[in-house]
Amino acid sequence: EKTAKVRSVKRALFRRELKRFTSSATYMVNGGLGLVILTALAVFVMIKAPMLRELATMAREELPELAALLPLLCACALMFTGGMDVICAPSVSLEGKSISLIQSLPVAPRDVLNAKKQLQVTLNIGPMLLCAVALGVALQFSAVEMALMVALTMVFVCFSADYGLMLGLMKPNLTWTSEVVPIKQGGAVVLAFFGAWVLALALGAGGWFTRHLITPTVYLALCAALMGTGALFIRRWLNTRGAEIFGDL
């Protein structure tokens, strides 16, 4: 005899997703590469803070236009790196032929999808926040610049998780015989991976070409607001139409 551990539905579903992620080396390496890079980058920035501070000072004196965009460029670099974390995108396909098991349980499909999103957000938000704060301190950003850069990167973490999960529902592959197929070759993974890169590059280019029209801080705020709005729309779709699709797979 042994004592059974009682968990809420949401905690049980989250633990199920976490166990699935940590039990597969292929899933961890290909889906969580950005976590390792972000953590290493944060350590590097903290160690090389004096050097980075000197470079930022030189940039502000010799290249003031570029220096004004440093918070945006740092945020785009973090998004570019965080975009390598595609945990949600293959998560639906990884259910495979056993998806009927989770569908037969007395849990709402939206709760299953929320657990998949929660895993990616939980794993990413710590390294992303640490790296953003380390960069802000090392490069001596103002309080407003720091807050906006952190806000944009945090919104991106939620947006990328929702976006990847939406792609996973739209392009599922439940007939694979090797998990390598949905993790490395799935259409949802490719679109999520390169979509995040394109978004990061587009935001950086937009900040450069609009630098004479609006201030960099206003641009950062607009990017965060627009991306947050997009995340809300995708989240609403996941909770309604997305949940129906998952229940019918």
Side-chain angles (χ1 to χ4, degrees):
E1 294 182 359
K2 61 181 180 179
T3 303
K5 294 182 179 180
V6 179
R7 298 184 179 91
S8 65
V9 172
K10 292 182 179 180
R11 288 186 61 187
L13 290 173
F14 176 80
R15 182 177 175 82
R16 173 179 178 269
E17 296 298 326
L18 180 61
K19 186 176 181 180
R20 180 70 182 85
F21 179 71
T22 56
S23 64
S24 171
T26 303
Y27 196 8
M28 286 192 292
V29 170
N30 290 275
L33 179 61
L35 298 174
V36 179
I37 299 177
L38 284 172
T39 304
L41 181 60
V43 174
F44 173 82
V45 169
M46 288 186 283
I47 294 174
K48 298 294 184 179
M51 180 190 71
L52 294 174
R53 193 171 296 114
E54 292 179 5
L55 292 175
T57 301
M58 292 174 57
R60 291 186 178 99
E61 293 175 354
E62 300 179 9
L63 300 169
E65 284 191 348
L66 182 62
L69 293 172
L70 274 178
L72 173 64
L73 296 179
C74 287
C76 291
L78 294 179
M79 289 188 290
F80 194 88
T81 306
M84 298 179 185
D85 296 325
V86 284
I87 299 173
C88 279
S91 62
V92 174
S93 294
L94 284 173
E95 297 286 349
K97 296 178 181 179
S98 62
I99 192 172
S100 58
L101 296 177
I102 190 66
Q103 290 173 334
S104 64
L105 295 176
V107 295
R110 62 181 293 176
D111 290 336
V112 179
L113 297 179
N114 284 333
K116 295 181 183 297
K117 174 198 172 178
Q118 186 184 359
L119 176 64
Q120 179 166 327
V121 172
T122 302
L123 294 179
N124 277 272
I125 203 165
M128 184 73 82
L129 179 60
L130 178 63
C131 207
V133 172
L135 281 170
V137 172
L139 299 177
Q140 296 180 314
F141 293 159
S142 67
V144 174
E145 290 174 335
M146 172 87 81
L148 290 174
M149 182 182 67
V150 170
L152 180 57
T153 52
M154 294 300 100
V155 170
F156 173 78
V157 170
C158 296
F159 176 85
S160 60
D162 287 332
Y163 174 67
L165 190 55
M166 179 182 70
L167 291 174
L169 286 168
M170 296 175 67
K171 292 182 173 292
N173 177 10
L174 303 176
T175 59
W176 51 267
T177 55
S178 171
E179 66 178 11
V180 174
V181 174
I183 293 174
K184 288 187 175 182
Q185 304 171 11
V189 172
V190 174
L191 290 175
F193 191 94
F194 289 104
W197 282 11
V198 170
L199 177 61
L201 293 173
L203 292 182
W208 174 257
F209 289 116
T210 61
R211 66 189 187 280
H212 298 305
L213 301 176
I214 56 177
T215 63
T217 51
V218 172
Y219 183 80
L220 268 173
L222 286 175
C223 289
L226 290 174
M227 195 180 298
T229 302
L232 289 176
F233 275 109
I234 298 176
R235 171 53 33 187
R236 179 180 176 83
W237 183 89
L238 289 172
N239 288 335
T240 52
R241 178 57 183 159
E244 293 177 3
I245 293 174
F246 183 81
D248 294 336
L249 288 177

